[in-house]
Structures are given as structure tokens and as C-alpha cells.
Coordinates of all heavy atoms in Angstrom, one line a residue:
T1 N -90.8 -38.9 -87.1 CA -90.6 -37.5 -87.0 C -91.9 -36.9 -86.5 O -93.0 -37.5 -86.5 CB -90.2 -36.9 -88.4 OG1 -91.3 -37.2 -89.3 CG2 -88.9 -37.5 -88.9
G2 N -91.9 -35.7 -86.1 CA -93.0 -34.9 -85.7 C -93.8 -35.5 -84.6 O -95.0 -35.6 -84.6
G3 N -93.1 -36.0 -83.5 CA -93.8 -36.6 -82.4 C -94.1 -38.1 -82.5 O -94.7 -38.6 -81.6
V4 N -93.6 -38.8 -83.5 CA -93.8 -40.2 -83.6 C -92.5 -40.8 -83.2 O -91.4 -40.5 -83.7 CB -94.1 -40.6 -85.0 CG1 -94.2 -42.2 -85.2 CG2 -95.4 -40.0 -85.5
Y5 N -92.5 -41.8 -82.3 CA -91.3 -42.4 -81.7 C -91.4 -43.9 -81.6 O -92.5 -44.5 -81.8 CB -90.9 -41.8 -80.4 CG -91.9 -42.3 -79.3 CD1 -91.5 -43.3 -78.5 CD2 -93.0 -41.6 -79.0 CE1 -92.4 -43.8 -77.5 CE2 -93.9 -42.0 -78.1 CZ -93.6 -43.1 -77.3 OH -94.5 -43.5 -76.3
M6 N -90.2 -44.6 -81.4 CA -90.2 -46.0 -81.3 C -89.3 -46.3 -80.1 O -88.2 -45.7 -80.0 CB -89.7 -46.6 -82.6 CG -89.3 -48.1 -82.5 SD -88.8 -48.6 -84.2 CE -90.2 -49.6 -84.5
M7 N -89.6 -47.3 -79.4 CA -88.7 -47.8 -78.3 C -87.8 -48.9 -78.8 O -88.2 -49.8 -79.5 CB -89.4 -48.3 -77.1 CG -90.4 -47.2 -76.5 SD -89.6 -45.7 -76.0 CE -89.0 -46.2 -74.4
M8 N -86.5 -48.8 -78.5 CA -85.5 -49.9 -78.9 C -84.7 -50.2 -77.7 O -84.5 -49.4 -76.8 CB -84.7 -49.4 -80.1 CG -85.5 -49.2 -81.4 SD -84.6 -48.9 -82.8 CE -84.0 -50.6 -83.2
T9 N -84.1 -51.4 -77.7 CA -83.3 -51.9 -76.6 C -81.9 -52.2 -77.2 O -81.7 -52.9 -78.2 CB -83.8 -53.2 -76.0 OG1 -85.1 -52.9 -75.6 CG2 -83.0 -53.6 -74.8
I10 N -80.9 -51.6 -76.5 CA -79.5 -51.8 -76.9 C -79.0 -53.0 -76.0 O -79.2 -53.0 -74.8 CB -78.6 -50.6 -76.6 CG1 -79.1 -49.4 -77.4 CG2 -77.1 -50.9 -76.9 CD1 -78.3 -48.1 -77.1
D11 N -78.4 -54.0 -76.6 CA -77.8 -55.2 -76.0 C -78.8 -55.9 -75.2 O -78.7 -56.2 -74.0 CB -76.6 -54.8 -75.2 CG -75.8 -56.0 -74.7 OD1 -75.8 -57.0 -75.5 OD2 -75.1 -55.9 -73.8
P12 N -79.9 -56.4 -75.8 CA -81.0 -57.1 -75.1 C -80.5 -58.4 -74.5 O -81.2 -58.9 -73.5 CB -82.1 -57.3 -76.2 CG -81.3 -57.3 -77.4 CD -80.2 -56.4 -77.3
D13 N -79.4 -58.9 -74.9 CA -78.9 -60.2 -74.4 C -77.9 -60.0 -73.3 O -77.4 -61.0 -72.7 CB -78.3 -61.1 -75.5 CG -79.3 -61.4 -76.6 OD1 -80.4 -61.8 -76.2 OD2 -78.9 -61.4 -77.8
A14 N -77.6 -58.8 -72.9 CA -76.7 -58.4 -71.8 C -75.4 -59.1 -72.0 O -74.8 -59.7 -71.1 CB -77.3 -58.8 -70.5
V15 N -74.8 -58.9 -73.2 CA -73.5 -59.4 -73.5 C -72.4 -58.8 -72.6 O -72.5 -57.6 -72.2 CB -73.1 -59.1 -75.0 CG1 -71.7 -59.6 -75.4 CG2 -74.1 -59.8 -75.9
E16 N -71.5 -59.6 -72.2 CA -70.3 -59.1 -71.3 C -70.9 -58.6 -70.0 O -70.2 -57.8 -69.3 CB -69.5 -58.1 -72.0 CG -68.8 -58.6 -73.3 CD -68.1 -57.5 -74.0 OE1 -67.8 -56.4 -73.4 OE2 -67.8 -57.7 -75.2
G17 N -72.1 -59.0 -69.5 CA -72.6 -58.7 -68.2 C -73.2 -57.3 -68.1 O -73.5 -56.9 -67.0
D18 N -73.2 -56.5 -69.2 CA -73.8 -55.2 -69.2 C -75.3 -55.3 -69.1 O -75.9 -56.2 -69.8 CB -73.4 -54.4 -70.4 CG -72.0 -54.1 -70.5 OD1 -71.4 -53.8 -69.4 OD2 -71.4 -54.1 -71.6
A19 N -76.0 -54.4 -68.4 CA -77.5 -54.4 -68.4 C -78.0 -53.7 -69.7 O -77.3 -52.7 -70.1 CB -78.0 -53.7 -67.2
P20 N -79.0 -54.2 -70.3 CA -79.5 -53.6 -71.5 C -80.0 -52.2 -71.2 O -80.3 -51.8 -70.1 CB -80.7 -54.4 -71.9 CG -80.4 -55.8 -71.2 CD -79.7 -55.4 -70.0
E21 N -80.0 -51.3 -72.3 CA -80.5 -49.9 -72.1 C -81.6 -49.8 -73.1 O -81.5 -50.1 -74.3 CB -79.4 -48.9 -72.4 CG -79.9 -47.5 -72.4 CD -78.9 -46.5 -72.7 OE1 -77.6 -46.8 -72.9 OE2 -79.2 -45.3 -72.8
I22 N -82.8 -49.2 -72.6 CA -83.9 -48.9 -73.5 C -83.8 -47.4 -73.9 O -83.6 -46.6 -73.0 CB -85.2 -49.2 -72.8 CG1 -85.3 -50.7 -72.4 CG2 -86.4 -48.8 -73.7 CD1 -86.5 -51.0 -71.6
V23 N -83.9 -47.2 -75.2 CA -83.9 -45.8 -75.7 C -85.1 -45.5 -76.5 O -85.8 -46.4 -77.1 CB -82.6 -45.6 -76.6 CG1 -81.3 -45.8 -75.8 CG2 -82.6 -46.5 -77.8
K24 N -85.5 -44.2 -76.5 CA -86.6 -43.8 -77.3 C -86.0 -43.2 -78.6 O -85.2 -42.2 -78.6 CB -87.4 -42.7 -76.6 CG -88.6 -42.1 -77.4 CD -89.2 -40.9 -76.6 CE -89.9 -41.4 -75.4 NZ -90.7 -40.3 -74.8
V25 N -86.4 -43.7 -79.8 CA -85.9 -43.3 -81.0 C -86.9 -42.2 -81.6 O -88.0 -42.6 -81.9 CB -85.7 -44.4 -82.0 CG1 -85.1 -43.9 -83.4 CG2 -84.7 -45.5 -81.4
T26 N -86.5 -41.0 -81.8 CA -87.3 -40.0 -82.2 C -87.2 -39.6 -83.7 O -88.0 -38.8 -84.2 CB -87.2 -38.7 -81.3 OG1 -85.9 -38.2 -81.4 CG2 -87.6 -39.0 -79.9
A27 N -86.1 -40.0 -84.3 CA -85.9 -39.8 -85.7 C -84.9 -40.7 -86.3 O -84.0 -41.2 -85.6 CB -85.4 -38.3 -85.9
I28 N -85.1 -41.1 -87.6 CA -84.1 -42.0 -88.2 C -83.9 -41.3 -89.6 O -84.8 -40.9 -90.3 CB -84.6 -43.4 -88.5 CG1 -84.8 -44.1 -87.2 CG2 -83.7 -44.2 -89.4 CD1 -85.4 -45.5 -87.3
S29 N -82.6 -41.1 -89.9 CA -82.3 -40.5 -91.2 C -81.3 -41.4 -92.0 O -80.6 -42.2 -91.4 CB -81.7 -39.1 -91.1 OG -80.6 -39.1 -90.3
G30 N -81.3 -41.2 -93.3 CA -80.4 -42.0 -94.1 C -81.2 -42.9 -95.1 O -82.3 -43.2 -94.8
G31 N -80.5 -43.3 -96.2 CA -81.2 -44.1 -97.2 C -80.6 -45.5 -97.2 O -81.1 -46.4 -97.9
S32 N -79.5 -45.7 -96.5 CA -78.9 -47.1 -96.5 C -78.0 -47.1 -95.2 O -77.8 -46.1 -94.6 CB -78.1 -47.4 -97.8 OG -77.0 -46.5 -97.9
N33 N -77.5 -48.3 -94.9 CA -76.6 -48.4 -93.7 C -75.4 -47.6 -93.9 O -74.8 -47.5 -95.0 CB -76.3 -49.9 -93.6 CG -77.4 -50.7 -93.0 OD1 -78.2 -50.2 -92.2 ND2 -77.5 -52.0 -93.4
P34 N -74.9 -47.0 -92.8 CA -75.5 -46.9 -91.5 C -76.6 -45.7 -91.5 O -76.4 -44.7 -92.1 CB -74.4 -46.6 -90.6 CG -73.4 -45.8 -91.5 CD -73.6 -46.4 -92.9
Y35 N -77.7 -46.0 -90.8 CA -78.7 -45.0 -90.5 C -78.4 -44.2 -89.3 O -77.8 -44.8 -88.3 CB -80.1 -45.7 -90.4 CG -80.6 -46.3 -91.6 CD1 -80.2 -47.6 -92.0 CD2 -81.5 -45.6 -92.5 CE1 -80.7 -48.2 -93.2 CE2 -81.9 -46.2 -93.7 CZ -81.5 -47.5 -94.0 OH -82.0 -48.0 -95.1
T36 N -78.8 -43.0 -89.2 CA -78.6 -42.2 -88.0 C -79.9 -42.1 -87.2 O -80.9 -41.8 -87.7 CB -78.1 -40.8 -88.3 OG1 -76.8 -40.8 -89.1 CG2 -77.9 -39.9 -87.1
L37 N -79.8 -42.5 -85.9 CA -80.9 -42.5 -85.0 C -80.8 -41.4 -84.0 O -79.7 -41.3 -83.4 CB -81.1 -43.8 -84.3 CG -81.7 -45.0 -85.0 CD1 -80.9 -45.4 -86.2 CD2 -81.8 -46.2 -84.0
T38 N -81.7 -40.6 -83.9 CA -81.8 -39.6 -82.7 C -82.5 -40.3 -81.6 O -83.6 -40.8 -81.8 CB -82.6 -38.3 -83.2 OG1 -82.0 -37.8 -84.3 CG2 -82.6 -37.3 -82.1
I39 N -81.9 -40.3 -80.4 CA -82.4 -41.1 -79.3 C -82.5 -40.3 -78.0 O -81.8 -39.3 -77.8 CB -81.5 -42.3 -79.1 CG1 -80.0 -41.9 -78.8 CG2 -81.6 -43.2 -80.2 CD1 -79.1 -43.0 -78.5
V40 N -83.4 -40.7 -77.2 CA -83.5 -40.2 -75.8 C -83.0 -41.4 -74.9 O -83.6 -42.5 -75.0 CB -84.9 -39.7 -75.4 CG1 -85.0 -39.3 -74.0 CG2 -85.4 -38.7 -76.4
R41 N -82.0 -41.1 -74.1 CA -81.4 -42.2 -73.4 C -82.1 -42.6 -72.0 O -83.0 -41.9 -71.6 CB -79.9 -41.8 -73.0 CG -79.1 -41.3 -74.1 CD -78.7 -42.4 -75.1 NE -78.1 -43.6 -74.6 CZ -76.7 -43.7 -74.6 NH1 -75.9 -42.7 -75.0 NH2 -76.1 -44.7 -74.1
H42 N -81.6 -43.7 -71.5 CA -82.0 -44.3 -70.2 C -83.5 -44.3 -69.9 O -84.0 -43.7 -68.9 CB -81.2 -43.7 -69.0 CG -81.4 -42.2 -68.8 ND1 -82.4 -41.7 -68.1 CD2 -80.6 -41.2 -69.2 CE1 -82.2 -40.4 -68.0 NE2 -81.2 -40.0 -68.7
Q43 N -84.3 -44.9 -70.8 CA -85.7 -44.9 -70.7 C -86.1 -46.1 -69.8 O -85.4 -47.1 -69.6 CB -86.5 -45.1 -72.0 CG -86.2 -43.9 -73.0 CD -86.8 -42.7 -72.4 OE1 -88.0 -42.5 -72.4 NE2 -85.9 -41.7 -72.1
E44 N -87.3 -46.1 -69.2 CA -87.9 -47.2 -68.4 C -86.9 -47.7 -67.3 O -86.7 -48.9 -67.1 CB -88.3 -48.3 -69.3 CG -89.5 -47.9 -70.2 CD -90.1 -49.0 -71.0 OE1 -90.1 -50.2 -70.5 OE2 -90.5 -48.8 -72.2
S45 N -86.3 -46.7 -66.6 CA -85.4 -47.1 -65.5 C -84.1 -47.8 -65.9 O -83.5 -48.4 -65.0 CB -86.2 -47.8 -64.4 OG -87.3 -47.1 -63.9
T46 N -83.7 -47.7 -67.1 CA -82.4 -48.3 -67.5 C -81.4 -47.1 -67.5 O -81.8 -46.0 -67.5 CB -82.4 -48.9 -68.9 OG1 -82.8 -47.9 -69.9 CG2 -83.5 -50.0 -69.0
A47 N -80.1 -47.5 -67.4 CA -79.0 -46.5 -67.3 C -78.4 -46.2 -68.7 O -78.2 -47.2 -69.4 CB -78.0 -47.0 -66.3
A48 N -78.1 -45.0 -68.9 CA -77.3 -44.6 -70.1 C -75.9 -45.1 -69.9 O -75.3 -45.0 -68.9 CB -77.3 -43.1 -70.4

């Protein structure tokens, strides 16, 4: 929060032939699964 972020990759193994997507996670809320992530899509030239 407050300007601290983390980069994460969705589907890093490219299952079913999809190209992975890199997202910037700017917030995580929740105390147990499932957690809610606020994200900025299509980072580092990947497609949303």
C-alpha cells in the first residue's frame, strides 16, 4: 500500500498456449484465502 508494489506473473508456464501476463500488484486485502489483489495490467510488454 502507499506506493509499494510487487510484480507477479499470471500463467508463467503458458498453459493451453496462452502467453503469460505480468501484472503490478499495488494492494492486497483479506485475512485468508481468497485474497483480493489490486492490479495494473499488461506490464513489461505483456498483453492483458
